[in-house]
Amino acid sequence: MTSAPVRPAPPCIFVLFGANGDLTHRLVFPALYNLAAQNLLPKAFAVVAVTRADFDETAMREHLREGLGKYCKEKCDLAVVQDLVSRVTTVTADASDPKSFDRLRAHIAEVDKQRGAQGNRIFYLAIPPAGFAPTVRALGQSGLTQQKDGAFARVIVEKPFGHDLASAMKLNAELREILEEDQIFRIDHYLGKETVQNILMLRFANGLFEPIWRREHIDHVQITVAEIVTIGRRGAFYDTTGALRDMVPNHLFQLLSLVAMEPPARLDAQSVRSEKARALDAIRIVTPEEALRDSVRAQYVAGRIGDETIVDFRQEKDVAPASTTETYAALKLSIDNWRWAGVPFYLRTGKGLARRYSEVAIKFREAPISMFRGIDLEGLRSNYLVLQIAPDEGITLMFNAKTPGPNLSIGRVAMDFRYADFFDTQPATGYETLLYDCMTGDGLLYQRADGVEAGWRAVEPFLDAWRAAGDHGLALYRAGSAGPAEADALLARDGRRWRPTT
């Protein structure tokens, strides 16, 4: 087993906007704890918790401590908890009040002096998207984004990064008025998952797979992100967003770009992100007619998930009674380049489904089977390489083998690799690697502006076509089911079918 030593990140102050919010509580601060428990945080490290309203420092520390007790996947080391929480200070700042950012600058300077962070700063925007540009503008006006004397200033921006192409381009332009591109870290927690990161290794470090990763050998690719959860208390947000905006331009397209990209010249952020952006830019831009033909949108209706009774999406709190917002989306996409010509990419994602399951499934072309005439060939048609992302991370290769016995018959078998079986995996929220990479200045797992815009450019025709169609063509599926029948028909017309998620 070959691995490079992992060193603690350089000194820095982690300035956390939205420190009293759900994202911080569930994911960001537990990720910082996991890094601390693995000795990957520097000794000269501090967290400045920024809120818009006064939040007592003692109360903030207790709030974050409670989150660790609730959301850490294993029992916390109390000494590590105490040390990390002791590094938290609080300050009030609001982008609408420039003077508050003067106080923030003074507070950061004082913490830096006490901790010896050498002027290095990371600003994490765990806030609503409307606050991204104003907050960065206020940081710039206060001088907090300036990099001098070898110190760095970096900004982590959460998704959603825009709600369409125009808004994404506007946000990119606004951020670049203040920041250099290498200061902007657009985070997608899916890229922190081991299987997602391993796609690069699987493809380019194995002579077994690299030669066959092309149209001559691959029939099609399926990317699935299925969720059990419904919209819960997020009705107001979800009814203006929908499954396509919420998941496809970020999570699913990050997976697609890693599968479809060309080999980078070298394994660095610039090279990898350039190839990912080129792959997304090669997605065929469809006409309105093609968009309706090659997509399915659906809403869940009443059903049961486990012991829970689910109401119709339109009856959820803060959802319009005649809403046409989709809770399920499926697309057929084409990539217009030499490697992937003629290979369809099928994407699907939805809420309120029977099972939580995320995977990338690569189906290989069928082998010539004339020599097996007279044998039951039912099991001979499914050679898949499956990259499982959730709930368990691993890789499965499905192929055909002779079944034991005197008769010549064929059965499907699978070779399974699970991370937990081979490696001493650490507890993780999915944010650990991403936060560490930002601290060390490695943007490989973060999105770049051109990749974000290419993703929105590809999905916008579907958004426009759906909006114009209104409720015409909006399918329904029962909560707790595998999804709408129309999604099965999308593949069936091509003589294909989805891999089952139930």
Side-chain angles (χ1 to χ4, degrees):
M1 188 182 303
T2 302
S3 61
V6 182
R7 298 178 180 177
C12 69
I13 295 175
F14 194 84
V15 184
L16 185 51
F17 287 84
N20 57 331
D22 182 62
L23 178 64
T24 295
H25 211 219
R26 289 188 302 107
L27 297 170
V28 179
F29 203 72
L32 290 175
Y33 165 80
N34 288 334
L35 289 174
Q38 297 168 41
N39 296 313
L40 294 179
L41 290 184
K43 292 182 179 179
F45 178 80
V47 176
V48 173
V50 183
T51 56
R52 296 177 63 184
D54 286 335
F55 210 112
D56 178 75
E57 186 172 282
T58 302
M60 175 61 73
R61 290 179 174 182
E62 187 57 34
H63 173 72
L64 296 173
R65 191 194 310 270
E66 288 175 359
L68 293 180
K70 185 175 181 181
Y71 293 110
C72 278
K73 294 190 176 181
E74 293 187 0
K75 187 175 180 180
C76 292
D77 184 321
L78 296 181
V80 176
V81 171
Q82 181 56 34
D83 178 67
L84 181 59
V85 169
S86 71
R87 297 170 182 267
V88 176
T89 60
T90 59
V91 65
T92 303
D94 190 323
S96 64
D97 178 11
K99 290 184 178 179
S100 68
F101 275 70
D102 293 336
R103 294 194 297 271
L104 173 62
R105 185 183 64 236
H107 183 89
I108 291 173
E110 181 61 29
V111 172
D112 196 322
K113 182 179 178 181
Q114 294 174 2
R115 293 289 181 180
Q118 302 176 16
N120 295 325
R121 303 175 297 278
I122 291 175
F123 302 96
Y124 195 115
L125 307 189
I127 57 178
F132 293 164
T135 301
V136 169
R137 194 175 301 116
L139 288 170
Q141 291 169 349
S142 67
L144 283 167
T145 59
Q146 293 181 8
Q147 302 183 105
K148 55 185 179 181
D149 301 325
F152 62 75
R154 299 168 184 147
V155 178
I156 299 178
V157 183
E158 269 285 348
K159 80 172 188 76
F161 201 86
H163 61 272
D164 56 18
L165 178 59
S167 61
M169 293 177 69
K170 181 174 183 288
L171 180 55
N172 278 329
E174 289 174 329
L175 295 186
R176 286 193 297 238
E177 287 178 1
I178 308 298
L179 303 166
E180 299 295 329
E181 178 63 36
D182 63 5
Q183 290 181 274
I184 307 169
F185 288 71
R186 301 169 187 82
I187 196 167
D188 185 340
H189 72 271
Y190 251 58
L191 288 178
K193 295 180 180 294
E194 290 293 345
T195 304
V196 176
Q197 296 179 58
N198 200 41
I199 294 174
L200 288 175
M201 287 291 181
L202 181 76
R203 286 192 58 187
F204 303 125
N206 290 289
L208 173 65
F209 296 115
E210 197 281 330
I212 61 173
W213 210 271
R214 57 188 68 250
R215 69 182 189 279
E216 292 88 351
H217 302 285
I218 292 177
D219 178 77
H220 72 274
V221 178
Q222 298 180 19
I223 302 177
T224 299
V225 178
E227 299 183 282
I228 292 177
V229 296
T230 60
I231 64 166
R233 293 177 293 178
R234 302 171 70 218
F237 162 78
Y238 207 86
D239 198 24
T240 59
T241 304
L244 182 59
R245 277 192 173 96
D246 190 37
M247 298 294 288
V248 174
N250 38 72
H251 293 340
L252 275 74
F253 273 8
Q254 288 304 300
L255 296 172
L256 182 149
S257 64
L258 287 167
V259 170
M261 65 185 277
E262 293 297 316
R266 57 194 62 85
L267 192 63
D268 60 29
Q270 186 72 4
S271 300
V272 171
R273 294 195 294 183
S274 292
E275 295 301 340
K276 288 172 62 181
R278 288 190 187 101
L280 294 175
D281 196 48
I283 296 174
R284 182 180 302 165
I285 306 303
V286 297
T287 66
E289 295 76 20
E290 290 170 334
L292 293 178
R293 183 195 67 199
D294 291 340
S295 69
V296 172
R297 59 187 174 121
Q299 287 179 356
Y300 63 77
V301 294
R304 291 187 65 81
I305 300 176
D307 296 330
E308 184 180 2
T309 300
I310 307 299
V311 300
D312 289 358
F313 170 71
R314 291 179 176 180
Q315 295 177 358
E316 298 275 19
K317 186 180 182 207
D318 298 324
V319 173
S323 172
T324 60
T325 300
E326 78 286 352
T327 61
Y328 181 104
L331 308 177
K332 175 186 176 183
L333 300 175
S334 299
I335 296 179
D336 287 337
N337 62 20
W338 190 265
R339 180 183 295 269
W340 296 111
V343 178
F345 282 68
Y346 299 103
L347 280 60
R348 59 176 169 168
T349 183
K351 290 190 174 294
L353 297 171
R355 182 184 173 201
R356 173 176 169 257
Y357 196 68
S358 299
E359 71 172 31
V360 176
I362 297 158
K363 185 178 186 300
F364 294 98
R365 294 189 181 278
E366 294 177 12
I369 58 174
S370 58
M371 64 181 288
F372 296 112
R373 286 194 186 96
I375 303 172
D376 179 11
L377 301 177
E378 182 64 27
L380 194 61
R381 302 181 183 275
S382 297
N383 290 154
Y384 277 101
L385 179 66
V386 183
L387 314 177
Q388 287 131 349
I389 299 162
D392 299 313
E393 294 188 84
I395 300 171
T396 297
L397 179 61
M398 303 176 66
F399 59 96
N400 302 298
K402 178 188 176 298
T403 59
N407 293 327
L408 186 59
S409 58
I410 294 174
R412 276 180 282 190
V413 296
M415 297 176 71
D416 286 321
F417 157 70
R418 294 289 177 271
Y419 279 91
D421 294 338
F422 285 84
F423 300 109
D424 182 17
T425 56
Q426 301 292 333
T429 67
Y431 278 69
E432 289 80 4
T433 299
L434 298 168
L435 296 184
Y436 176 83
D437 284 355
C438 181
M439 293 175 192
T440 60
D442 185 355
L444 190 150
L445 296 178
Y446 286 85
Q447 298 187 69
R448 205 170 61 187
D450 54 348
V452 170
E453 293 174 12
W456 279 117
R457 194 172 293 113
V459 302
E460 193 153 63
F462 296 96
L463 293 170
D464 292 343
W466 292 356
R467 182 169 54 250
D471 62 359
H472 179 71
L474 180 67
L476 303 174
Y477 63 99
R478 180 175 49 81
S481 71
E486 289 81 353
D488 296 329
L490 180 67
L491 271 68
R493 74 176 189 221
D494 295 338
R496 301 181 175 101
R497 59 184 178 182
W498 295 107
R499 274 178 40 81
T501 58
T502 55

